Amino acid sequence: MDETLIKLFASERILIDGVDVTCTNAAEFIPRTKRNMGYIVGGLVFNDKDEILMMQEAKRSCHGKWYLPMGRLEPGENLQEGAVREVLEETGLTAEPVTALEIESGGVTWFRILFIMKQTGGVLKTKPDEESLKADWFNPGKVLNKEITLRKDDILRIIQKGIEYQKLPKLEQPNILPVVHPHIQILHRVILHTLTPEGDHAILVNTNKNVHLPCCVMGPEDISLMVSIFLLFKDVFGRLKHPPEICGIVSVEHCGQPEAKNDGMCLTSLVHTKNVLKFDGVNKKNYDWHVVTDTDLISKLNLMLAGKKILPFFDVNSGVLKTKPDEESLKADWFNPGKVLNKEITLRKDDILRIIQKGIEYQKLPKLEQPNILPVVHPHIQILHRVILHTLTPEGDHAILVNTNKNVHLPCCVMGPEDISLMVSIFLLFKDVFGRLKHPPEICGIVSVEHCGQPEAKNDGMCLTSLVHTKNVLKFDGVNKKNYDWHVVTDTDLISKLNLMLAGKKILPFFDVNSKTR
């Protein structure tokens, strides 16, 4: 496996030893250039003034409008011969690729491969032909503000990504051109990397028959690296606990010859996950971690993980608004919040107005370190609220309320259909323990959300765990006061985490958007 990785990092051809994950309708899809699919290759070219290169279209459908330099790959061509350089020749310039953007789906049949590039020479095109009228340099802000007439707005997010990239530290990145190698399908080979508890580099491998790197077949409906990675994680690890990070593109393989035979491609990406994950997926028995031992390979991996010697990855397809109607909705669009709050558009229901208002308030808060909490898959037959009630003792110690009846546990409330509210369950808990509410508690945030939903109609409940703070150590005067006590926290790491959470960090903020409703 070390030898395979060394060859891949050197842009050498590697045979596909097995396909492990298949996206939607991918098995039946055999790409044929300009018949049932096509490659659009383009460049986002910057000059020394950080201006971007634009082409003025000559085609009747978009005559006089501006667009990034792009071109369609013709049958029988390959990406190395007919892609980047051919597109640039139309502009009159020469440039070197600096980085690549995500393959971007253009519906079922077309998708684009995009490069960020730096001008190295040439003279701008001024004489019109059937393809374009001329080329020119523009300030990116002028394009983003639509001060020129664009052929299509879809390039705006590409330009924005390019601007973000230009602001990054200048790292040692290779000029990777596609490797000429035949493929009949669109494949994504994944080098999934992690560090073991001992600090060794480990790579995920499929051990079924031939040991090989996991490989995914991408279909016409899911031309996305992230979709295939999510499917791979589900296949191997069961569910995605820790979102992976795509460090960059290692290689792009395409041939295109003979015509209509090898119109597929293979992208190899380096993906990093922070933890050595347990195998809990459907096909977990087919996978294992391979520990890298080659010292030169370890050095290359360290450079790549630091963003050096690898083609950076940008997902330009992550924020594409829906435009095609279906049975669920017509389309998506952006609005100024004030316009919505003033009901200048027709709303389905007014209940979203207080949610929007809370969102605006949240945006004005200081940016704190908050976790991305995803629901924990755990079965519940009722709707529960587990309460971590915190206070400080007179001595300054952290204390948590516990129920000491039988097993010592955190207080838990069952929420009914008429009172689905965290505050209602907290008030009932205070009445049960302390008699009456002298000091209104403060919900600091949500610690976890647990839900399963499987099997159907069996586990449709959920459990929310919240951290609640009260200023004083309250006396037990409630009906069931004898069942409760304060537990003093002594673990130093836990005390540090509690301090962060109480300061609004490392916890999911809580907003009561239902406070004005019954």
Side-chain angles (χ1 to χ4, degrees):
M1 183 49 59
D2 282 7
E3 186 179 346
T4 297
L5 292 171
I6 290 169
K7 287 182 178 180
L8 278 173
F9 293 162
S11 296
E12 295 184 24
R13 296 178 293 178
I14 299 294
L15 294 174
I16 298 294
D17 291 320
V19 171
D20 310 298
V21 176
T22 303
C23 294
T24 308
N25 297 329
E28 302 81 18
F29 180 65
I30 305 299
R32 294 287 179 264
T33 301
K34 297 192 79 171
R35 295 183 186 180
N36 65 351
M37 57 75 66
Y39 298 102
I40 301 176
V41 182
L44 179 59
V45 186
F46 288 86
N47 62 14
D48 292 337
K49 299 177 183 178
D50 283 335
E51 296 172 322
I52 55 172
L53 183 65
M54 301 284 287
M55 299 291 299
Q56 192 173 33
E57 301 285 358
K59 303 179 189 68
R60 182 181 298 178
S61 61
C62 52
H63 189 274
K65 296 181 179 180
W66 293 90
Y67 206 63
L68 291 176
M70 291 190 183
R72 297 180 182 182
L73 196 68
E74 296 297 325
E77 289 184 339
N78 66 58
L79 290 171
Q80 190 178 74
E81 295 173 356
V84 179
R85 292 194 175 97
E86 188 174 302
V87 169
L88 287 169
E89 283 173 7
E90 178 65 24
T91 70
L93 297 179
T94 56
E96 286 296 328
V98 178
T99 186
L101 300 173
E102 148 89 307
I103 283 191
E104 178 188 38
S105 173
V108 175
T109 53
W110 291 94
F111 59 94
R112 296 185 284 195
I113 302 171
L114 301 153
F115 289 87
I116 296 175
M117 314 180 79
K118 272 291 185 183
Q119 180 199 2
T120 56
V123 180
L124 280 180
K125 174 181 181 176
T126 56
K127 293 181 180 180
D129 56 30
E130 61 181 10
E131 291 294 331
S132 59
L133 301 178
K134 63 178 180 178
D136 208 349
W137 296 103
F138 289 94
N139 182 292
K142 189 173 182 178
V143 181
L144 293 173
N145 292 331
K146 300 182 186 178
E147 295 177 31
I148 58 174
T149 306
L150 300 178
R151 174 182 173 182
K152 204 174 180 183
D153 290 352
D154 59 347
I155 61 171
L156 296 181
R157 63 183 180 275
I158 298 170
I159 293 170
Q160 188 60 54
K161 289 288 184 183
I163 293 170
E164 292 171 14
Y165 173 78
Q166 289 291 95
K167 294 177 182 178
L168 294 176
K170 301 306 176 189
L171 303 173
E172 301 171 22
Q173 293 153 358
N175 295 325
I176 291 180
L177 286 176
V179 178
V180 179
H181 189 68
H183 294 283
I184 59 173
Q185 291 178 296
I186 300 173
L187 306 172
H188 178 201
R189 183 196 286 123
V190 181
I191 303 173
L192 182 60
H193 169 275
T194 192
L195 289 173
T196 68
E198 296 75 29
D200 295 322
H201 291 271
I203 302 294
L204 182 72
V205 292
N206 187 305
T207 55
N208 190 24
K209 297 180 180 179
N210 296 323
V211 176
H212 61 271
L213 294 168
C215 189
C216 315
V217 181
M218 297 195 286
E221 298 174 20
D222 293 315
I223 301 291
S224 168
L225 300 192
M226 287 309 299
V227 168
S228 52
I229 288 171
F230 288 148
L231 290 174
L232 174 65
F233 265 66
K234 184 178 179 181
D235 191 57
V236 183
F237 307 114
R239 65 188 182 93
L240 191 60
K241 297 178 183 178
H242 307 280
E245 173 194 353
I246 298 182
C247 304
I249 306 299
V250 175
S251 69
V252 181
E253 299 174 2
H254 174 78
C255 181
Q257 295 170 343
E259 186 176 332
K261 293 290 185 182
N262 295 307
D263 292 338
M265 70 182 305
C266 178
L267 286 126
T268 301
S269 68
L270 176 62
V271 181
H272 175 70
T273 181
K274 291 181 180 179
N275 299 287
V276 180
L277 304 177
K278 294 181 180 179
F279 301 117
D280 291 326
V282 178
N283 293 309
K284 61 183 179 181
K285 64 180 180 180
N286 294 334
Y287 294 92
D288 200 358
W289 291 105
H290 164 75
V291 176
V292 179
T293 55
D294 185 280
T295 52
D296 289 339
L297 184 55
I298 290 170
S299 298
K300 287 184 179 179
L301 276 170
N302 283 327
L303 286 170
M304 288 178 162
L305 293 167
K308 300 177 182 180
K309 302 297 184 183
I310 193 169
L311 215 58
F313 170 85
F314 291 89
D315 185 359
V316 297
N317 200 36
S318 59
V320 182
L321 285 178
K322 175 180 180 177
T323 55
K324 294 181 180 180
D326 56 29
E327 59 184 9
E328 293 294 331
S329 60
L330 300 178
K331 63 177 182 178
D333 209 346
W334 296 102
F335 289 97
N336 183 290
K339 189 173 183 178
V340 182
L341 293 174
N342 293 330
K343 302 182 186 179
E344 294 177 32
I345 59 173
T346 305
L347 300 177
R348 174 184 171 184
K349 204 173 180 183
D350 291 352
D351 59 347
I352 63 170
L353 297 180
R354 62 182 179 274
I355 298 172
I356 293 171
Q357 188 60 54
K358 289 291 184 182
I360 294 171
E361 293 172 14
Y362 173 76
Q363 289 291 96
K364 295 177 181 178
L365 294 177
K367 300 304 177 188
L368 303 173
E369 301 172 22
Q370 293 153 359
N372 296 321
I373 293 180
L374 289 174
V376 178
V377 179
H378 190 71
H380 293 283
I381 59 173
Q382 292 178 296
I383 300 174
L384 307 172
H385 178 200
R386 183 194 289 122
V387 181
I388 305 172
L389 182 60
H390 169 274
T391 192
L392 289 173
T393 68
E395 296 76 26
D397 295 323
H398 291 270
I400 302 294
L401 181 71
V402 292
N403 188 306
T404 57
N405 188 25
K406 296 180 180 179
N407 296 323
V408 176
H409 60 273
L410 292 170
C412 191
C413 314
V414 180
M415 296 194 286
E418 297 178 13
D419 293 315
I420 299 292
S421 166
L422 300 192
M423 288 308 299
V424 168
S425 54
I426 289 170
F427 290 149
L428 291 173
L429 173 65
F430 265 66
K431 183 179 178 181
D432 190 57
V433 183
F434 307 112
R436 64 188 182 92
L437 191 60
K438 297 177 182 179
H439 306 280
E442 174 194 353
I443 299 181
C444 303
I446 304 301
V447 176
S448 70
V449 181
E450 299 173 3
H451 174 74
C452 180
Q454 294 174 340
E456 187 177 337
K458 294 289 185 182
N459 294 307
D460 292 337
M462 70 183 305
C463 178
L464 286 137
T465 301
S466 68
L467 176 62
V468 181
H469 176 70
T470 181
K471 291 181 179 179
N472 299 287
V473 181
L474 305 177
K475 294 182 179 179
F476 302 118
D477 292 327
V479 178
N480 293 310
K481 61 183 180 181
K482 65 179 181 180
N483 293 334
Y484 294 91
D485 199 359
W486 290 105
H487 165 74
V488 176
V489 179
T490 56
D491 185 278
T492 53
D493 289 339
L494 183 55
I495 290 170
S496 298
K497 288 182 180 178
L498 277 170
N499 283 327
L500 286 171
M501 288 179 166
L502 293 167
K505 301 177 181 180
K506 302 296 184 183
I507 194 169
L508 211 61
F510 171 81
F511 291 90
D512 188 359
V513 297
N514 201 37
S515 58
K516 293 184 180 180
T517 61
R518 179 176 176 271

